[in-house]
Amino acid sequence: MSRIKQRFDDLKSKHKTALIPFITAGDPRPDITVKLMHALVEAGADLLELGVPFSDPMAEGPTIQAACERALEHGTSLTDVLDMVEEFRKSDSTTPVLLMGYLNPIEVMGYKKFAQHAGSIGMDGLLTVDMPPEEASGLLSELALANIDPVFLLAPTTTQQRIEMITQQTKGFVYYVSLKGVTGVKSLEIKPVEKKIKEIRQLTDLPIGVGFGIKDAESAASVAQVADAVVVGSAIVSLMAKHKEDEQAILTQVPSFLQELRRAVDI
Amino acid sequence: MQSIPSLPDENGHFGIYGGRFVAETLMEPLDELKKVYERLKTDKNFIQELDQDLQHYVGRPSPVYHAERWSKILGGAQIYLKREDLNHTGAHKVNNTVGQALLAKHMGKTRIIAETGAGQHGVASATVAARLGLECVVYMGAEDIKRQALNVYRMKLLGAEVIPVTSGSKTLKDALNEAMRDWVTHVDNTFYIIGTVAGPHPYPLLVRDFQAIIGREAREQIQTMAGKLPDALVACVGGGSNAIGLFYPFLEDESVAIYGVEGGGHGLASGQHAAPLCAGKPGVLHGNRTYLMEDVNGQIIETHSISAGLDYPGVGPEHAWLKDVGRANYVIATDDEALKAFHDLTRIEGIMPALESSHALAYGAKLAQEMNPEQLILINLSGRGDKDIHTIAALEGIKV
């Protein structure tokens, strides 16, 4: 059983909602990432979503774009990100790690080489923003061989027919993008999210994570009522940007924000 | 193997290139666009409306001109120019914006967005938006805004809002990212007019279809004028829309050699160029798989060309396919060669070409000298050079 499925099964038996913080690997400097990953787990993260920096992050708002630029200033590559996951795994064998990124760095590394290496160091899932299932067959077969869960997105514009097709290709959990837009810009409205999640539940047994527009404890709490996982990205990344010159502040402020979210999600 | 003109396939693939690599939110809107386009492209009323616009608003057909004096001086093949510079707004870009604006109108969209590099596509989009009374927002890299102040002002005069893009390299690729971000946010009321034959399916297909009028006209015109097909076609390639527009109707004419000319900047060896087909590798960017300028880690790298319209790290997927199957040759002209061609055509023929088109002219001139006077070269003069006067004057140390 994959670490992601195991984690969702455990949480389900405890009637808990998963909390998934997102950070961009290498932001603001590569040497902080692994320390922060451990600190986030300590503060209550159930899964970690680690962004692979890309020069042209088409689906990101200004906050995560800037994080990519900070990480790329230090040359953080896909290889470096996998090294960070390997380092993290040395002292945490249970927390699932999901990589989020864009296809081109994986294309350049090669699907087979990427999947074999990522699988061998204990990476658990992959979300490739700009690769819908229609274009994914080559990569999916390599991920399957390496026991890596492909996580796909669903959006407000996704039709019922596509939900069925996408969830058949997805493992671990499916990620619902709560609004039309880029990361970190708008606040979500819970009513339409609730409605869409009901629709998705009719069509799949996979756990449903919700991301985009979750900015604070209040929005995290309302999403936790309807979803199986709450993903928080830009709110965390903007806190990191605020303290980008101060490693200690990041390692205390970011986990403390996550604890606040944890309490809200667990209510 | 499928015959080349029947591509792309149902999912937008040209061999391994093309496709639809976008975030999930855009998959359904792209599918809707594809369906609407498939319906309208054979709809009599739509075709008639488009033809009327091209004739009375754009000013088509554009002439083919025999550059006799220049040909004689070069001493080789006869050079013919397809005069897209004479179109309304001064370049081939308007062929596509007129077509896409009609699609927008039929889809009931009230807002148009566009990305632009040199500003020609931005101007052509602002123009059609003004005419249809649609709101228009143009994304343009902050660096390009500095280089192309005249076109920025033209867009504003036409009522468009020009938004400077300050992320990444602050040029065309970043403007495209930003336009995609806008579209994903306002997809209900907004039509995104992509300016080149790149992006997710169906854009490379529909932009090619709207630009193919260049080659269809030219194929007739040159046979009327010279009594035969040309021996070679030459066009500049940034994203590649003017080039595919010229090439496409000739793809099955095996006797016609095809040359696409990329922005060679300071030369391939310098690394400072905009020539993904000549010096890049296949990868995925902006919704399609194609040749890209990228580093060893798959990050997109900054390009250089004297011409803002060629300054782009990717290229339309159909060109990538034509390169791999060997139907078209892709070559470069450097900044210096393009500048020389700009001056030559201006002085010898009294036609001031755009810097983008000057790359095609530079390679065409070189090619002509290797051929004999009975042979014909057809070069796409894709735009006029007025917009570049400040750039050229600055390079030559002249204050205008």
Side-chain angles (χ1 to χ4, degrees):
Chain A
M1 188 187 293
S2 85
R3 246 187 297 256
I4 296 177
K5 182 164 177 12
Q6 180 75 56
R7 181 53 52 102
F8 274 102
D9 286 354
D10 291 350
L11 289 167
K12 195 175 180 187
S13 66
K14 293 179 199 155
H15 305 287
K16 281 182 74 175
T17 303
L19 177 60
I20 308 180
F22 168 93
I23 57 172
T24 300
D27 169 36
R29 284 182 312 282
D31 58 3
I32 198 173
T33 304
V34 175
K35 285 182 244 177
L36 185 60
M37 289 167 78
H38 286 300
L40 288 168
V41 172
E42 189 78 14
D46 298 301
L47 278 88
L48 296 173
E49 187 183 353
L50 198 57
V52 181
F54 184 50
S55 54
D56 294 79
M58 244 165 38
E60 313 302 338
T63 305
I64 294 177
Q65 287 173 47
C68 284
E69 287 180 17
R70 286 192 295 272
L72 289 173
E73 270 171 37
H74 298 279
T76 309
S77 66
L78 178 56
T79 308
D80 296 335
V81 179
L82 292 174
D83 287 348
M84 292 171 190
V85 177
E86 186 173 17
E87 183 65 28
F88 172 78
R89 271 284 163 261
K90 284 181 184 165
S91 42
D92 186 326
S93 58
T94 55
T95 309
V97 177
L98 171 73
L99 238 57
M100 189 289 294
Y102 292 77
L103 186 56
N104 201 49
I106 297 172
E107 288 250 327
V108 167
M109 183 176 279
Y111 292 167
K112 192 182 197 72
K113 187 178 163 197
F114 166 77
Q116 283 179 348
H117 183 49
S120 73
I121 56 148
M123 188 196 90
D124 304 291
L126 176 71
L127 195 178
T128 316
V129 181
D130 57 349
M131 188 191 60
E134 285 92 333
E135 301 285 358
S137 60
L139 182 54
L140 284 176
S141 54
E142 294 298 339
L143 294 179
L145 289 172
N147 293 315
I148 294 169
D149 291 340
V151 173
F152 285 105
L153 299 170
L154 300 175
T157 52
T158 308
T159 57
Q160 181 173 333
Q161 199 186 355
R162 282 189 63 78
I163 294 173
E164 283 174 12
M165 182 274 290
I166 292 169
T167 50
Q168 275 164 20
Q169 303 291 336
T170 304
K171 287 182 195 154
F173 74 105
V174 67
Y175 187 132
Y176 179 60
V177 172
S178 65
L179 47 82
K180 292 174 201 158
V182 293
T183 51
V185 175
K186 293 191 283 190
S187 297
L188 65 79
E189 285 176 65
I190 195 68
K191 280 281 171 236
V193 173
E194 197 174 351
K195 186 163 168 256
K196 192 77 177 184
I197 286 179
K198 263 188 199 147
E199 186 190 339
I200 298 168
R201 284 206 199 281
Q202 300 291 315
L203 302 166
T204 182
D205 294 330
L206 286 167
I208 301 168
V210 172
F212 284 43
I214 302 163
K215 294 188 145 117
D216 49 26
E218 193 189 344
S219 45
S222 62
V223 170
Q225 298 300 311
V226 297
D228 304 305
V230 176
V231 187
V232 183
S234 296
I236 289 174
V237 174
S238 65
L239 195 57
M240 293 178 62
K242 190 175 153 196
H243 298 293
K244 64 184 180 216
E245 307 296 340
D246 185 348
E247 179 173 331
Q248 272 320 306
I250 289 175
L251 290 172
T252 53
Q253 298 289 316
V254 174
S256 130
F257 177 56
L258 198 74
Q259 283 169 343
E260 200 184 307
L261 298 174
R262 176 83 263 171
R263 285 191 292 272
V265 165
D266 287 343
I267 285 170
Chain B
M1 195 177 81
Q2 279 178 294
S3 75
I4 289 170
S6 71
L7 293 174
D9 69 13
E10 176 64 17
N11 299 314
H13 295 115
F14 301 87
I16 64 164
Y17 302 106
R20 194 180 275 170
F21 294 87
V22 294
E24 175 57 26
T25 311
L26 291 178
M27 290 300 282
E28 191 57 29
L30 285 164
D31 224 38
E32 189 199 346
L33 174 61
K34 179 180 165 230
K35 282 179 192 148
V36 168
Y37 176 63
E38 274 170 0
R39 180 165 53 79
L40 288 177
K41 79 175 177 184
T42 54
D43 179 288
K44 245 196 249 158
N45 294 332
F46 181 81
I47 295 169
Q48 198 180 11
E49 205 177 352
L50 181 60
D51 285 348
Q52 289 289 312
D53 281 358
L54 290 172
Q55 188 184 339
H56 299 290
Y57 190 66
V58 176
R60 301 204 72 87
S62 68
V64 166
Y65 168 73
H66 182 192
E68 268 185 279
R69 189 157 176 257
W70 195 36
S71 304
K72 204 166 184 186
I73 290 171
L74 290 167
Q78 301 304 309
I79 293 178
Y80 288 76
L81 304 174
K82 177 62 173 166
R83 296 292 308 275
E84 291 299 299
D85 61 316
L86 294 176
N87 291 339
H88 180 43
T89 73
H92 72 290
K93 292 290 186 189
V94 71
N95 302 328
N96 168 49
T97 59
V98 161
Q100 289 200 48
L102 274 185
L103 290 179
K105 196 175 99 176
H106 279 266
M107 293 173 81
K109 304 289 183 182
T110 57
R111 181 172 176 270
I112 276 174
I113 57 169
E115 84 294 338
T116 197
Q120 290 302 104
H121 174 59
V123 168
S125 299
T127 299
V128 295
R131 179 166 171 253
L132 295 176
L134 302 173
E135 184 189 348
C136 181
V137 173
V138 179
Y139 291 92
M140 189 166 182
E143 279 301 316
D144 290 336
I145 285 181
K146 275 193 249 165
R147 289 197 276 191
Q148 302 285 346
L150 193 63
N151 271 343
V152 175
Y153 186 53
R154 286 169 82 192
M155 287 183 265
K156 287 182 180 166
L157 287 172
L158 288 159
E161 184 186 356
V162 181
I163 300 184
V165 177
T166 55
S167 57
S169 60
K170 307 178 179 60
T171 59
L172 177 56
K173 80 171 176 77
D174 310 284
L176 218 150
N177 291 334
E178 211 52 40
M180 280 281 182
R181 291 174 187 132
D182 178 310
W183 196 36
V184 86
T185 310
H186 303 104
V187 68
D188 295 331
N189 71 343
T190 297
F191 190 101
Y192 179 15
I193 302 189
I194 293 188
T196 193
V197 283
H201 182 57
Y203 280 102
L205 166 69
L206 66 89
V207 177
R208 177 196 73 196
D209 289 355
F210 289 137
Q211 291 294 359
I213 191 160
I214 300 172
R216 281 201 305 274
E217 285 176 3
R219 198 169 176 281
E220 295 293 315
Q221 288 165 317
I222 195 151
Q223 290 185 90
T224 305
M225 290 171 80
K228 59 177 180 176
L229 287 172
D231 297 283
L233 305 176
V234 184
C236 65
V237 178
S241 69
N242 90 80
I244 215 75
L246 178 67
F247 299 167
Y248 186 69
F250 289 91
L251 288 178
E252 289 184 305
D253 297 318
E254 284 173 22
S255 66
V256 180
I258 296 178
Y259 297 90
V261 187
E262 296 193 292
H266 300 312
L268 293 184
S270 71
Q272 290 181 298
H273 56 78
L277 287 166
C278 292
K281 283 190 309 182
V284 172
L285 179 70
H286 292 153
N288 61 138
R289 181 178 284 116
T290 186
Y291 279 85
L292 298 176
M293 305 262 298
E294 59 186 5
D295 69 12
V296 292
N297 295 315
Q299 306 295 344
I300 308 307
I301 56 177
E302 289 183 26
T303 50
H304 165 80
S305 172
I306 189 174
S307 131
L310 301 186
D311 212 349
Y312 178 64
V315 63
E318 191 162 9
H319 288 292
W321 165 248
L322 290 172
K323 173 189 160 77
D324 281 12
V325 298
R327 179 62 188 98
N329 308 287
Y330 293 91
V331 295
I332 60 155
T334 64
D335 288 355
D336 290 346
E337 289 167 335
L339 265 178
K340 179 175 184 305
F342 171 88
H343 284 299
D344 285 351
L345 199 74
T346 303
R347 288 288 184 88
I348 296 166
E349 295 286 355
I351 298 172
M352 202 173 283
L355 277 176
E356 290 78 10
S357 324
S358 299
H359 287 71
L361 295 164
Y363 190 82
K366 214 190 293 188
L367 191 64
Q369 289 173 314
E370 295 163 6
M371 292 164 67
N372 68 54
E374 287 73 49
Q375 291 182 294
L376 312 180
I377 297 179
L378 177 61
I379 302 177
N380 199 8
L381 183 49
S382 56
R384 67 176 185 226
D386 310 45
K387 71 181 174 60
D388 296 313
I389 288 175
H390 283 93
T391 306
I392 290 161
L395 278 168
E396 297 179 349
I398 294 161
K399 218 173 160 74
V400 183

